[in-house]
Amino acid sequence: MRLLLTTLLALVIATAVGLGLTYATATRGTDLGTLKIGAWTARPKNGTSDVDPYSRATIARSGELPIGTGDGIAFSATTDDKNKPLDGRCDIVVSGVTPAARFWTLTLFDRKGHLVANSLQRYGFTSQEIMRASDGTFEIHIASRSRAGNWLPTGGIERYALMLRLYDTPVGVATRTQRDAPMPSITTTGCP
């Protein structure tokens, strides 16, 4: 009888640990096949048939539709370059250049993946509408209060994520460094 109870207890513990780890992996994802450049993170294999099973489970759970590898790549950021979480009450500047791409978009989402409501009804910028300096660089101010130039309102939310999608780009699975893909910097310039 004692052997039977010990066996049942071991099976219950193993099941609980297995289900818990599966839930955590499907919710948070893994770092398998992750490309990290500065504060930006991408999973170039998500849009291919070579996607790992953990990423496949995360995609199935979230319902997101990843960009196909032939179409482009999506980078996300939840922190600035100094690893400080992006805070909608602070002033953040995204500046520099993007890797070569025919077209790109930069969008602001809350941590659940929804667009952030704001009175301006501006949720992002595209490569065709952004104002640039004469050398081709740009500066996007992300803040709750209006700013001159390229301003993206946060609505004052506490935490958010940025998504930079590059379409028709050579950036992909073989990309490894900032030199391969010069990503824009993300800097917190001030908090109230």
Side-chain angles (χ1 to χ4, degrees):
M1 185 70 169
R2 186 173 181 172
L3 178 63
L4 180 63
L5 288 176
T6 304
T7 304
L8 281 174
L9 181 62
L11 286 173
V12 167
I13 291 172
T15 301
V17 169
L19 289 174
L21 289 174
T22 301
Y23 176 79
T25 302
T27 304
R28 297 187 190 122
T30 65
D31 285 339
L32 294 174
T34 298
L35 170 61
K36 187 146 177 69
I37 301 174
W40 300 97
T41 303
R43 291 178 175 81
K45 290 187 178 183
N46 276 5
T48 70
S49 60
D50 294 336
V51 65
D52 65 270
Y54 303 109
S55 295
R56 190 181 305 255
T58 303
I59 292 167
R61 187 174 188 288
S62 70
E64 80 175 80
L65 183 60
I67 298 174
T69 191
D71 297 328
I73 189 168
F75 284 89
S76 63
T78 56
T79 64
D80 66 9
D81 289 342
K82 293 183 178 177
N83 214 22
K84 181 179 178 187
L86 297 176
D87 189 332
R89 300 165 297 185
C90 298
D91 294 346
I92 310 288
V93 177
V94 177
S95 60
V97 295
T98 62
R102 185 179 305 246
F103 182 77
W104 59 260
T105 62
L106 178 73
T107 313
L108 186 139
F109 293 100
D110 66 16
R111 294 302 285 264
K112 293 183 179 181
H114 302 110
L115 294 172
V116 176
N118 62 72
S119 59
L120 202 60
Q121 294 185 353
R122 173 168 286 285
Y123 307 105
F125 282 98
T126 69
S127 56
Q128 295 179 340
E129 67 186 359
I130 196 143
M131 294 185 298
R132 299 175 191 268
S134 60
D135 62 357
T137 61
F138 61 85
E139 243 184 40
I140 300 172
H141 297 270
I142 304 172
S144 58
R145 297 171 311 280
S146 69
R147 300 286 183 260
N150 301 316
W151 169 55
L152 193 55
T154 63
I157 63 171
E158 190 171 332
R159 299 280 183 259
Y160 64 89
L162 295 173
M163 180 74 69
L164 177 64
R165 293 181 181 96
L166 305 170
Y167 296 96
D168 196 11
T169 180
V171 177
V173 178
T175 304
R176 296 284 176 254
T177 66
Q178 179 80 14
R179 190 168 20 155
D180 296 338
M183 299 298 290
S185 64
I186 304 173
T187 309
T188 301
T189 58
C191 286

